[in-house]
Amino acid sequence: MEPLALSINAAAKALSIGRSSIYGLIKSHRLEAIKIGTRTLVTTASLTRLAQSRKDA
């Protein structure tokens, strides 16, 4: 089963960008994040949407 959300580090690695860039994308609402306790996780669906939108551009 594919994970529904990834840590900030895993999301950054998946997109080959830095952690600050991930936080910037979350702040600009281009990535969807969820909080579970103190952890911030990025949904894999939002990562896929972002990658697809860049591919189409």
Side-chain angles (χ1 to χ4, degrees):
M1 179 175 185
E2 185 177 322
L4 299 175
L6 299 174
S7 68
I8 296 296
N9 287 339
K13 187 174 181 179
L15 294 176
S16 299
I17 60 176
R19 288 170 35 95
S20 342
S21 297
I22 292 291
Y23 284 113
L25 289 167
I26 292 169
K27 188 174 181 178
S28 67
H29 304 286
R30 294 178 66 197
L31 280 179
E32 181 183 334
I34 55 174
K35 291 283 281 183
I36 298 178
T38 58
R39 294 191 70 194
T40 301
L41 302 171
V42 178
T43 63
T44 53
S46 69
L47 286 170
T48 302
R49 280 193 304 271
L50 178 68
Q52 191 63 38
S53 71
R54 300 304 297 163
K55 182 179 170 185
D56 294 341

Coordinates of all heavy atoms in Angstrom, one line a residue:
M1 N 0.8 -1.2 0.0 CA 0.0 0.0 0.0 C 0.9 1.2 0.0 O 1.8 1.3 0.7 CB -0.9 0.0 1.2 CG -1.8 1.2 1.3 SD -2.9 0.9 2.8 CE -3.9 2.3 2.5
E2 N 0.6 2.2 -0.9 CA 1.3 3.4 -1.0 C 0.9 4.3 0.2 O -0.2 4.4 0.6 CB 0.9 4.1 -2.3 CG 1.7 5.4 -2.5 CD 1.4 6.1 -3.8 OE1 1.2 5.3 -4.8 OE2 1.3 7.3 -3.9
P3 N 2.0 5.0 0.8 CA 1.7 5.9 1.9 C 0.8 7.1 1.5 O 0.8 7.6 0.4 CB 3.0 6.4 2.4 CG 3.9 6.2 1.2 CD 3.4 5.0 0.4
L4 N -0.1 7.5 2.4 CA -1.0 8.7 2.2 C -0.3 10.0 2.4 O -0.7 11.0 1.9 CB -2.2 8.6 3.0 CG -3.1 7.3 2.8 CD1 -4.2 7.3 3.8 CD2 -3.6 7.3 1.4
A5 N 0.8 10.0 3.2 CA 1.5 11.2 3.5 C 3.0 10.9 3.8 O 3.3 9.8 4.2 CB 0.9 11.9 4.8
L6 N 3.8 11.9 3.6 CA 5.2 11.7 3.8 C 5.7 12.8 4.7 O 5.2 13.9 4.8 CB 6.0 11.9 2.4 CG 5.7 10.9 1.3 CD1 6.4 11.3 0.1 CD2 6.1 9.5 1.8
S7 N 6.8 12.5 5.4 CA 7.5 13.5 6.2 C 8.0 14.6 5.4 O 8.2 14.5 4.1 CB 8.6 12.9 7.0 OG 9.7 12.5 6.2
I8 N 8.3 15.7 6.0 CA 8.9 16.9 5.2 C 10.2 16.4 4.5 O 10.4 16.7 3.4 CB 9.2 18.1 6.2 CG1 7.9 18.6 6.8 CG2 10.0 19.2 5.4 CD1 7.0 19.2 5.7
N9 N 11.1 15.7 5.3 CA 12.3 15.2 4.7 C 12.1 14.3 3.5 O 12.7 14.4 2.5 CB 13.2 14.5 5.7 CG 13.8 15.4 6.7 OD1 13.9 16.6 6.5 ND2 14.1 14.9 7.9
A10 N 11.1 13.3 3.6 CA 10.8 12.4 2.5 C 10.2 13.1 1.3 O 10.6 12.8 0.2 CB 9.9 11.3 3.0
A11 N 9.4 14.1 1.6 CA 8.8 14.9 0.5 C 9.9 15.7 -0.3 O 9.9 15.8 -1.5 CB 7.7 15.8 1.0
A12 N 10.8 16.3 0.5 CA 11.9 17.0 -0.1 C 12.8 16.1 -0.9 O 13.1 16.5 -2.1 CB 12.7 17.7 1.0
K13 N 13.0 14.9 -0.4 CA 13.8 14.0 -1.2 C 13.1 13.5 -2.5 O 13.7 13.4 -3.5 CB 14.2 12.8 -0.3 CG 15.1 11.8 -0.9 CD 15.5 10.7 0.1 CE 16.5 9.8 -0.6 NZ 16.9 8.7 0.3
A14 N 11.8 13.3 -2.3 CA 11.0 12.9 -3.5 C 11.0 13.9 -4.6 O 11.0 13.5 -5.8 CB 9.6 12.6 -3.1
L15 N 11.0 15.2 -4.3 CA 11.0 16.3 -5.3 C 12.4 16.8 -5.6 O 12.6 17.7 -6.4 CB 10.1 17.4 -4.8 CG 8.7 17.1 -4.7 CD1 7.9 18.3 -4.1 CD2 8.1 16.7 -6.0
S16 N 13.4 16.3 -4.9 CA 14.8 16.7 -5.0 C 15.0 18.2 -4.8 O 15.6 18.9 -5.5 CB 15.3 16.4 -6.4 OG 15.3 15.0 -6.6
I17 N 14.3 18.7 -3.7 CA 14.4 20.1 -3.3 C 14.7 20.1 -1.8 O 14.6 19.0 -1.1 CB 13.2 20.9 -3.6 CG1 11.9 20.3 -2.9 CG2 12.9 21.0 -5.1 CD1 10.7 21.1 -3.1
G18 N 15.0 21.3 -1.3 CA 15.3 21.4 0.2 C 14.0 21.5 1.0 O 12.9 21.7 0.6
R19 N 14.2 21.3 2.3 CA 13.1 21.4 3.3 C 12.5 22.7 3.3 O 11.3 22.8 3.4 CB 13.7 21.1 4.7 CG 14.1 19.6 5.0 CD 14.8 19.4 6.3 NE 14.4 20.3 7.3 CZ 13.5 20.0 8.3 NH1 12.9 18.8 8.2 NH2 13.1 20.8 9.2
S20 N 13.3 23.8 3.2 CA 12.7 25.2 3.2 C 11.8 25.4 2.0 O 10.8 26.1 2.1 CB 13.7 26.3 3.2 OG 15.0 25.9 3.5
S21 N 12.1 24.8 0.9 CA 11.3 24.9 -0.3 C 10.0 24.1 -0.1 O 8.9 24.6 -0.5 CB 12.0 24.3 -1.5 OG 13.1 25.0 -1.8
I22 N 10.0 23.0 0.6 CA 8.8 22.3 0.9 C 7.9 23.2 1.8 O 6.7 23.3 1.6 CB 9.1 21.0 1.6 CG1 9.7 20.0 0.7 CG2 7.8 20.4 2.2 CD1 8.9 19.5 -0.4
Y23 N 8.5 23.8 2.9 CA 7.7 24.7 3.7 C 7.1 25.9 2.9 O 6.0 26.3 3.2 CB 8.5 25.1 4.9 CG 8.7 24.1 6.0 CD1 9.9 23.5 6.2 CD2 7.6 23.6 6.7 CE1 10.1 22.5 7.2 CE2 7.8 22.7 7.7 CZ 9.0 22.1 7.9 OH 9.1 21.2 8.9
G24 N 7.9 26.4 2.0 CA 7.4 27.5 1.2 C 6.2 27.1 0.3 O 5.3 27.8 0.2
L25 N 6.3 25.9 -0.3 CA 5.2 25.3 -1.1 C 3.9 25.1 -0.2 O 2.8 25.3 -0.6 CB 5.6 24.0 -1.8 CG 6.6 24.2 -2.9 CD1 7.2 22.8 -3.3 CD2 6.0 24.9 -4.1
I26 N 4.1 24.7 1.0 CA 3.0 24.5 2.0 C 2.4 25.9 2.3 O 1.2 26.1 2.2 CB 3.4 23.8 3.3 CG1 3.8 22.4 3.0 CG2 2.4 23.9 4.3 CD1 4.5 21.6 4.1
K27 N 3.2 26.8 2.6 CA 2.8 28.2 2.9 C 2.0 28.8 1.8 O 1.0 29.5 2.0 CB 3.9 29.1 3.3 CG 3.5 30.4 3.9 CD 4.7 31.2 4.4 CE 4.2 32.5 5.0 NZ 5.4 33.3 5.5
S28 N 2.4 28.6 0.5 CA 1.8 29.1 -0.6 C 0.6 28.3 -1.1 O 0.0 28.5 -2.2 CB 2.8 29.3 -1.8 OG 3.2 28.1 -2.3
H29 N 0.3 27.2 -0.3 CA -0.9 26.3 -0.6 C -0.7 25.5 -1.9 O -1.7 25.1 -2.5 CB -2.2 27.1 -0.6 CG -2.4 27.9 0.7 ND1 -2.8 27.2 1.8 CD2 -2.3 29.2 1.0 CE1 -2.9 28.1 2.8 NE2 -2.6 29.3 2.3
R30 N 0.5 25.3 -2.3 CA 0.7 24.5 -3.5 C 0.9 23.0 -3.1 O 0.8 22.1 -3.9 CB 1.9 25.0 -4.3 CG 1.6 26.4 -4.9 CD 2.8 27.0 -5.6 NE 3.1 26.2 -6.8 CZ 4.2 26.2 -7.5 NH1 5.2 27.0 -7.1 NH2 4.4 25.5 -8.5
L31 N 1.2 22.8 -1.8 CA 1.3 21.5 -1.2 C 0.3 21.4 0.0 O 0.3 22.4 0.7 CB 2.7 21.1 -0.8 CG 3.7 20.6 -1.8 CD1 5.0 20.3 -1.1 CD2 3.2 19.4 -2.6
E32 N -0.3 20.3 0.2 CA -1.3 20.1 1.3 C -0.5 19.4 2.4 O 0.1 18.4 2.2 CB -2.5 19.3 0.8 CG -3.5 19.1 1.9 CD -4.6 18.3 1.4 OE1 -4.9 18.3 0.2 OE2 -5.3 17.6 2.2
A33 N -0.6 20.0 3.6 CA 0.1 19.4 4.7 C -1.0 19.1 5.8 O -2.0 19.8 5.9 CB 1.2 20.3 5.3
I34 N -0.7 18.0 6.6 CA -1.5 17.7 7.7 C -0.6 17.7 9.0 O 0.6 17.3 8.9 CB -2.3 16.4 7.5 CG1 -1.3 15.2 7.2 CG2 -3.3 16.5 6.5 CD1 -2.0 13.9 7.2
K35 N -1.2 18.0 10.1 CA -0.5 17.9 11.4 C -1.0 16.8 12.1 O -2.2 16.6 12.3 CB -0.7 19.2 12.2 CG 0.0 20.4 11.6 CD 1.5 20.5 11.9 CE 1.8 20.9 13.3 NZ 3.2 21.1 13.5
I36 N -0.1 15.9 12.6 CA -0.5 14.8 13.5 C 0.5 15.0 14.7 O 1.7 14.8 14.6 CB -0.3 13.5 12.9 CG1 -1.2 13.3 11.7 CG2 -0.5 12.3 13.9 CD1 -1.1 12.0 10.9
G37 N -0.1 15.5 15.8 CA 0.8 15.8 17.0 C 1.7 17.0 16.6 O 1.2 18.0 16.1
T38 N 3.0 16.7 16.7 CA 3.9 17.8 16.4 C 4.5 17.6 15.0 O 5.2 18.5 14.5 CB 5.1 17.8 17.4 OG1 5.7 16.5 17.4 CG2 4.6 18.1 18.8
R39 N 4.1 16.5 14.3 CA 4.7 16.2 13.0 C 3.8 16.9 11.9 O 2.6 16.9 12.0 CB 4.7 14.7 12.7 CG 5.6 14.0 13.6 CD 5.8 12.6 13.2 NE 6.6 12.6 12.0 CZ 6.7 11.5 11.2 NH1 6.1 10.4 11.5 NH2 7.4 11.6 10.1
T40 N 4.5 17.4 10.9 CA 3.9 17.9 9.7 C 4.2 16.9 8.6 O 5.3 16.5 8.3 CB 4.5 19.3 9.3 OG1 4.3 20.2 10.4 CG2 3.8 19.8 8.1
L41 N 3.1 16.5 8.0 CA 3.2 15.5 6.9 C 2.6 16.1 5.6 O 1.6 16.8 5.7 CB 2.5 14.2 7.2 CG 2.9 13.5 8.5 CD1 2.0 12.4 8.9 CD2 4.3 13.0 8.3
V42 N 3.2 15.8 4.5 CA 2.7 16.3 3.2 C 2.0 15.1 2.5 O 2.5 14.0 2.4 CB 3.9 16.7 2.3 CG1 3.4 17.1 0.9 CG2 4.7 17.8 3.0
T43 N 0.8 15.4 2.0 CA 0.0 14.3 1.4 C 0.6 13.9 0.1 O 1.1 14.8 -0.7 CB -1.5 14.7 1.2 OG1 -1.5 15.8 0.3 CG2 -2.2 15.1 2.5
T44 N 0.6 12.7 -0.2 CA 1.2 12.2 -1.5 C 0.3 12.7 -2.7 O 0.9 12.9 -3.8 CB 1.3 10.7 -1.5 OG1 0.1 10.1 -1.2 CG2 2.4 10.2 -0.5
A45 N -1.0 12.8 -2.4 CA -1.8 13.3 -3.5 C -1.4 14.7 -3.9 O -1.4 15.0 -5.1 CB -3.3 13.3 -3.1
S46 N -1.1 15.6 -3.0 CA -0.7 16.9 -3.3 C 0.7 16.9 -4.0 O 1.0 17.8 -4.9 CB -0.7 17.9 -2.1 OG 0.4 17.5 -1.2
L47 N 1.6 16.0 -3.6 CA 2.9 15.9 -4.3 C 2.7 15.5 -5.8 O 3.3 16.0 -6.7 CB 3.8 14.9 -3.6 CG 4.4 15.3 -2.3 CD1 5.0 14.0 -1.6 CD2 5.4 16.3 -2.5
T48 N 1.7 14.5 -6.0 CA 1.4 14.1 -7.4 C 0.8 15.2 -8.2 O 1.2 15.4 -9.3 CB 0.5 12.9 -7.3 OG1 1.1 11.9 -6.5 CG2 0.1 12.4 -8.7
R49 N -0.1 16.0 -7.6 CA -0.7 17.1 -8.3 C 0.3 18.1 -8.7 O 0.4 18.7 -9.8 CB -1.8 17.8 -7.4 CG -3.1 17.1 -7.5 CD -4.2 17.9 -6.9 NE -4.0 18.4 -5.5 CZ -4.3 17.7 -4.4 NH1 -4.9 16.5 -4.5 NH2 -4.0 18.2 -3.2
L50 N 1.3 18.5 -7.8 CA 2.3 19.4 -8.0 C 3.2 19.0 -9.2 O 3.5 19.7 -10.1 CB 3.1 19.7 -6.8 CG 4.3 20.7 -7.0 CD1 3.7 22.1 -7.2 CD2 5.2 20.7 -5.7
A51 N 3.6 17.7 -9.1 CA 4.5 17.2 -10.1 C 3.8 17.2 -11.5 O 4.4 17.5 -12.5 CB 5.0 15.8 -9.8
Q52 N 2.5 16.8 -11.5 CA 1.7 16.8 -12.7 C 1.5 18.2 -13.3 O 1.7 18.3 -14.5 CB 0.4 16.1 -12.5 CG -0.4 15.8 -13.8 CD 0.3 14.8 -14.6 OE1 0.9 13.8 -14.1 NE2 0.3 15.0 -15.9
S53 N 1.3 19.1 -12.4 CA 1.1 20.5 -12.9 C 2.4 21.1 -13.5 O 2.4 21.8 -14.5 CB 0.6 21.4 -11.8 OG 1.6 21.7 -10.9
R54 N 3.5 20.7 -13.0 CA 4.8 21.1 -13.5 C 5.1 20.4 -14.8 O 5.7 21.0 -15.7 CB 5.9 20.9 -12.5 CG 5.8 21.6 -11.2 CD 5.6 23.1 -11.3 NE 6.8 23.7 -11.9 CZ 6.8 24.9 -12.4 NH1 5.8 25.6 -12.4 NH2 7.9 25.4 -12.9
K55 N 4.7 19.2 -14.9 CA 4.9 18.4 -16.2 C 4.1 19.0 -17.3 O 4.5 19.1 -18.4 CB 4.5 17.0 -15.9 CG 4.7 16.0 -17.1 CD 4.3 14.6 -16.7 CE 4.3 13.7 -17.9 NZ 3.8 12.4 -17.6
D56 N 2.9 19.4 -17.0 CA 2.0 20.0 -18.0 C 2.3 21.4 -18.4 O 2.0 21.9 -19.5 CB 0.5 20.0 -17.5 CG 0.0 18.6 -17.3 OD1 0.5 17.6 -17.9 OD2 -1.0 18.4 -16.6
A57 N 3.1 22.1 -17.6 CA 3.4 23.5 -17.9 C 4.5 23.7 -18.9 O 5.2 22.8 -19.3 CB 3.9 24.2 -16.6

